């Protein structure tokens, strides 16, 4: 696997990086609410179809968390700090 390294020309300009980091932080905060709500719902007994919807929500939550982690990693790798 080739080494991953970022050239200076691959960096996000600082003014854009500040805004992107702010948006990523806000997204993380919003996702935290969804994650906690999903967890709390999972502690209740649900009948069908509610339990099916909860499983769908859990799948979507996991995908959103994975995307958010990838976004944060990309931002970290491509912004000057």
């Amino acid at each position: 696997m080739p080494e991953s390294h970022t050239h200076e020309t691959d960096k996000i300009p600082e003014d854009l990086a500040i805004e992107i980091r702010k948006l990523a932080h806000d997204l993380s905060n919003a996702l935290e609410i969804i994650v906690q709500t999903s967890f709390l719902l999972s502690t209740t007994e649900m009948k069908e179809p509610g339990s099916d919807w909860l499983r769908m929500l859990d799948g979507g939550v996991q995908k959103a968390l994975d995307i958010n982690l990838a976004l944060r990693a990309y931002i970290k790798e491509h912004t000057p700090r």
Side-chain angles (χ1 to χ4, degrees):
M1 190 180 309
E3 268 188 54
S4 173
H5 56 281
T6 305
H7 300 289
E8 195 59 37
T9 58
D10 295 338
K11 296 287 185 183
I12 299 168
E14 184 61 28
D15 58 333
L16 293 176
I18 291 168
E19 185 63 23
I20 292 169
R21 283 194 298 269
K22 179 188 173 301
L23 290 170
H25 177 79
D26 291 347
L27 176 60
S28 291
N29 288 342
L31 283 173
E32 184 62 27
I33 295 166
I34 296 166
V35 167
Q36 292 301 321
T37 302
S38 177
F39 169 75
L40 291 172
L41 284 172
S42 73
T43 65
T44 65
E45 286 190 36
M46 289 190 153
K47 296 180 182 176
E48 300 300 331
S51 58
D52 290 335
W53 298 339
L54 181 57
R55 281 190 292 278
M56 288 175 24
L57 175 63
D58 286 341
V61 165
Q62 190 56 57
K63 286 179 186 177
L65 289 172
D66 292 344
I67 292 168
N68 192 47
L69 284 175
L71 175 62
R72 293 171 69 91
Y74 181 88
I75 292 166
K76 185 176 183 179
E77 185 176 330
H78 290 88
T79 56
R81 276 252 183 192

